[in-house]
């Protein structure tokens, strides 16, 4: 008779330290990746130096178009620009900041449009806008062969809103003071120019209310800060482009702001005209 084998019941360990776990280890919780700094975001723009809140020195619509055009030009010549330190990241940022500027300009226009005007102020505003258009149209016709005058009218006419209309009227009075001889072929009268000054003065209070509105003021500050941040970046790309293509003048010339070049040209023409008037006329014995 075979012997029966006795199996000894050995108690299993109950400690979790010695018993192998049948469960898979719990996955580690990943920390959310830190978001990259966006120079076009509101907080980044508001963190810039207070000087960035200054008013733009050119129409924002013109600036947006020039920035977009510059980003396309830089992208087309990215290889050479990269060799002098202007990488694709800066060119991409230039395109993004141009779009951001356009969006902030629209937000500012919307906020400004929401500012309440009295019935009397609305009537004056409508009259001012109609007179603004009349003074510009007269200049377009009478100075049609004067490139500098047309550029000046384009600068004045760009923009919208009450503050722009007031500034337009003041600029147009100055424009017609400089081109007084051209009034004769238009239907613009001296009374129109006097009325332009009166309307600009009368609408100042309404414009001040617009500027003091919290929403409009915030939108304006963001727009202005974005403008100068974009302008700073554009300046670097323009200077870099002119350096990179200094051996190709035609390409280098494209890295210039057409608007600012036009302003400089007009300033030189005015300075030359002023010097000519001020210079004494010498007689034959002088």
């Amino acid at each position: 008779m075979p012997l029966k084998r006795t199996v000894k019941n050995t108690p299993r360990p109950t400690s979790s330290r010695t018993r192998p776990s049948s469960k898979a280890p719990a996955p580690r919780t990943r920390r959310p990746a830190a978001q990259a700094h966006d120079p076009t975001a509101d907080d980044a723009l508001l963190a810039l130096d207070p000087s960035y809140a200054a008013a733009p020195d050119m129409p924002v619509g013109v600036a947006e178009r020039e920035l977009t055009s510059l980003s396309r030009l830089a992208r087309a010549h990215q290889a050479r620009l990269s060799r002098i330190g202007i990488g694709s990241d800066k060119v991409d940022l230039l395109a993004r900041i141009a779009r951001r500027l356009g969006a902030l300009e629209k937000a500012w226009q919307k906020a400004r449009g929401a500012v309440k005007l009295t019935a009397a102020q609305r009537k004056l505003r409508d009259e001012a806008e109609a007179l603004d258009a009349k003074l510009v149209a007269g200049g377009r016709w009478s100075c049609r062969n004067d490139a500098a005058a047309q550029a000046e009218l384009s600068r004045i006419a760009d923009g919208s809103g009450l503050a722009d209309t007031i500034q337009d009227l003041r600029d147009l009075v100055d424009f017609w003071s400089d081109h007084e001889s051209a009034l004769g072929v238009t239907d613009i009268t001296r009374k129109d120019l006097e009325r332009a000054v009166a309307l600009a003065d009368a609408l100042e209070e309404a414009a001040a209310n617009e500027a003091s509105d919290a929403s409009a003021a915030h939108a304006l500050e963001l727009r202005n800060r974005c403008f100068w941040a974009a302008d700073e970046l554009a300046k670097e790309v323009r200077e870099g482009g002119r350096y990179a293509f200094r051996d190709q003048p035609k390409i280098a010339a494209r890295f210039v702001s057409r608007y600012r070049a036009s302003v400089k040209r007009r300033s030189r023409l005015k300075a030359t005209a002023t010097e000519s008037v001020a210079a004494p006329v010498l007689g034959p014995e002088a």
Side-chain angles (χ1 to χ4, degrees):
M1 183 174 179
L3 296 175
K4 293 182 179 180
R5 187 172 59 182
T6 303
V7 179
K8 186 176 181 180
N9 292 327
T10 304
R12 294 181 178 180
T14 58
S15 172
S16 60
R17 294 179 182 177
T18 57
R19 184 174 70 243
S21 174
S22 61
K23 294 182 180 180
R28 293 182 179 180
T29 303
R30 293 184 177 181
R31 294 180 180 179
Q35 293 184 349
H37 173 69
D38 182 4
T40 70
D42 288 5
D43 56 347
L45 294 174
L46 292 172
L48 294 172
D49 187 84
S51 62
Y52 283 77
D57 65 345
M58 64 190 295
V60 174
V62 174
E64 182 189 357
R65 291 192 293 273
E66 286 200 351
L67 289 167
T68 301
S69 177
L70 178 62
S71 67
R72 290 172 181 164
L73 175 65
R75 190 170 288 120
H77 297 286
Q78 184 64 73
R80 184 173 288 205
L81 290 176
S82 293
R83 291 200 293 269
I84 64 165
I86 298 179
S88 59
D89 55 338
K90 287 187 178 179
V91 177
D92 291 342
L93 176 57
L94 187 64
R96 285 197 298 114
I97 205 168
R99 292 192 294 270
R100 177 66 170 148
L101 179 61
L104 289 173
E105 171 67 7
K106 289 179 181 178
W108 152 236
Q109 297 291 350
K110 183 178 180 181
R112 181 166 61 179
V115 178
K116 301 295 184 182
L117 296 178
T118 66
Q121 288 172 334
R122 285 196 299 271
K123 185 177 180 180
L124 290 175
R125 179 199 60 192
D126 293 344
E127 183 186 354
E129 289 176 350
L131 184 53
D132 183 349
K134 179 180 180 179
L135 296 178
V136 170
R140 291 294 191 198
W141 163 249
S142 62
C143 300
R144 59 191 180 279
N145 297 320
D146 185 338
Q150 293 301 314
E152 178 71 5
L153 288 170
S154 295
R155 180 193 68 77
I156 294 172
D158 198 275
S160 61
L162 185 55
D164 282 326
T165 299
I166 291 173
Q167 189 60 50
D168 285 358
L169 292 177
R170 298 195 189 283
D171 289 345
L172 285 165
V173 170
D174 291 339
F175 174 87
W176 282 111
S177 177
D178 293 338
H179 299 84
E180 190 172 0
S181 60
L183 281 172
V185 294
T186 72
D187 58 0
I188 298 171
T189 65
R190 301 285 181 186
K191 288 185 178 180
D192 287 331
L193 299 177
E194 293 172 0
R195 183 59 178 163
V197 175
L199 285 169
D201 291 341
L203 287 168
E204 285 290 356
E205 182 179 352
N209 291 338
E210 177 182 272
S212 64
D213 181 86
S215 297
H218 180 69
L220 177 62
E221 182 177 8
L222 281 175
R223 194 277 310 263
N224 291 355
R225 286 173 172 272
C226 187
F227 172 89
W228 288 112
D231 187 71
E232 189 173 60
L233 177 59
K235 182 179 180 182
E236 180 182 0
V237 174
R238 291 190 192 283
E239 290 179 352
R242 292 195 294 273
Y243 169 71
F245 291 97
R246 63 191 183 280
D247 57 339
Q248 299 181 49
K250 288 186 178 180
I251 297 179
R254 297 177 63 190
F255 283 89
V256 173
S257 167
R258 295 180 63 185
Y259 177 87
R260 289 209 170 100
S262 177
V263 170
K264 288 181 180 178
R265 188 164 54 250
R266 290 198 306 272
S267 297
R268 287 196 297 267
L269 289 172
K270 285 185 178 181
T272 301
T274 301
E275 290 174 1
S276 298
V277 172
V281 179
L282 301 178
E285 297 180 357

